[in-house]
């Protein structure tokens, strides 16, 4: 089971801002491990969206903005577009049980 | 442009061994900057990291605790590929399996290159 908790779904109208939270604990985000974010369309491979808490790979629009504080992180999408409708996952490292990369539970973004 | 090409059967019988291979192009399995990972995805469990192989003067393998007794990775430098072997499979191992390259930030790894995924069904 995922140790990073995300809301199952968020929605917004085109042009609006939506925010996705990623809640962790003292053995992962709270321990200082970086958080990364992925975007996944149905039936498609996950795509790296944000790495190292705040960094966008080349080609990712600056409408995607991420931050991290304490034991949680968040991804914001500003100026929401229809093409942003997808699943979003956070990911970090967890030091419990020998250590492992861990993913969030995933959030479905719906553009109204 | 680096790519990962996955291969392996789409169906495995219960109690048998699931084996998948990932061939790397445009990068090296023995790179000292990358790790080579297997990740699976199901509707119920979401994305689940299974483990990684990496070379730092010698090979290292790290596995997810919950599957550690059943999982083995291998890497072949001459073929520039790495493989997953998951033994004693059960229906709950049915998933889409991805290979992925891990790159590091200051404190954790992220996955910047993915294979296309292989749906593996555990069924007789």
């Amino acid at each position: 089971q995922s140790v990073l908790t995300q809301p199952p779904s968020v929605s917004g109208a085109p042009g609006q801002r939506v925010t996705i939270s990623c809640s962790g604990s003292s053995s992962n985000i709270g321990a200082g491990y970086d958080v990364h974010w992925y975007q996944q369309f149905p039936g498609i491979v996950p795509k790296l969206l944000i790495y190292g808490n705040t960094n966008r790979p080349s080609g990712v629009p600056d409408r995607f903005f991420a931050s991290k504080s304490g034991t949680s992180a968040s991804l914001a999408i500003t100026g929401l577009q229809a093409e942003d409708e997808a699943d979003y996952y956070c990911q970090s490292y967890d030091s419990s049980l020998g250590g492992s990369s861990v993913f969030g539970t995933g959030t479905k973004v719906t553009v109204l | 442009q680096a790519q990962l090409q996955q291969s392996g059967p789409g169906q495995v019988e219960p109690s048998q061994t699931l084996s998948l291979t990932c061939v790397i192009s445009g990068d090296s399995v023995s790179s000292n900057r990358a790790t080579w990972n297997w990740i699976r995805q199901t509707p119920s469990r979401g994305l689940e990291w299974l483990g990684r192989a990496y070379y730092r003067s010698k090979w290292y393998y790290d596995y997810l605790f919950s599957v550690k007794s059943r999982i083995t990775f291998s890497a072949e430098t001459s073929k520039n590929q790495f493989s997953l072997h998951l033994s004693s499979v059960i229906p709950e191992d049915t998933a889409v399996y991805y290979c992925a390259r891990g790159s590091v930030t200051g404190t954790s790894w992220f996955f910047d290159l993915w294979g296309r995924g292989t749906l593996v069904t555990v069924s007789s």
Side-chain angles (χ1 to χ4, degrees), chain A residues 1-2 32-36 38 40 44-48 51-52 89 91-93 97 99-104, chain B residues 37 39 41 45-49 52 62-65 98 103 105-112 114-117:
Chain A
Q1 285 132 352
S2 301
Y33 295 111
D34 288 342
V35 179
H36 321 290
Y38 301 85
Q40 186 179 32
I44 304 298
V45 177
K47 169 192 168 185
L48 180 67
Y51 67 95
Y89 296 88
Q91 177 248 316
S92 186
Y93 178 84
L97 295 177
S100 63
S101 290
V102 290
F103 288 91
Chain B
N37 301 260
I39 297 163
Q41 185 173 27
R45 296 196 307 272
L47 289 162
E48 182 177 48
W49 177 84
R52 64 181 181 179
D62 297 323
Y63 303 120
L64 179 67
F65 182 82
Y98 297 101
S103 296
T105 60
T107 62
S108 74
W109 294 85
F110 59 93
F111 308 110
D112 59 353
W114 295 65
R116 296 185 66 175

Side-chain angles (χ1 to χ4, degrees), chain B residues 42-59:
Chain B
T42 64
S44 59
R45 296 196 307 272
L47 289 162
E48 182 177 48
W49 177 84
L50 296 175
R52 64 181 181 179
Y54 59 102
Y55 186 80
R56 302 290 185 269
S57 301
K58 69 174 185 177
W59 286 103

Side-chain angles (χ1 to χ4, degrees), chain A residues 7-8 10 12-13 16-17 33 35 40 42 44 46 52-53 58 61 76-77 81 84 89 92 96:
Chain A
V10 298
Q16 286 189 330
R17 170 187 169 117
Y33 295 111
V35 179
Q40 186 179 32
I44 304 298
N53 304 316
S58 175
I77 309 174
Q81 299 184 4
D84 299 330
Y89 296 88
S92 186
S96 63

